[in-house]
Amino acid sequence: MLFGGFQPAVLATPTEIRDAIAAFAGLGADEVMLYCFGLDPAQVDRLADVL
């Protein structure tokens, strides 16, 4: 395990993204940073649609 007991993961579906953000909110986080490793800038729009 890395990062203080959290295993890094690739979030690949809208449900996984929403669930991960909800889990962090449940821990008291008010900000979450998501990193994209793709080259397509339209991914930002797709993420916005998910949220």
Side-chain angles (χ1 to χ4, degrees):
M1 293 241 169
L2 301 173
F3 306 111
F6 290 97
Q7 180 70 32
V10 174
L11 305 174
T13 68
T15 300
E16 290 173 344
I17 294 168
R18 285 189 293 266
D19 289 350
I21 291 173
F24 280 111
L27 293 171
D30 59 2
E31 292 183 16
V32 176
M33 293 179 67
L34 303 171
Y35 291 91
C36 175
F37 296 100
L39 299 176
D40 182 4
Q43 290 181 357
V44 175
D45 294 328
R46 289 194 297 271
L47 180 59
D49 291 342
V50 166
L51 302 176

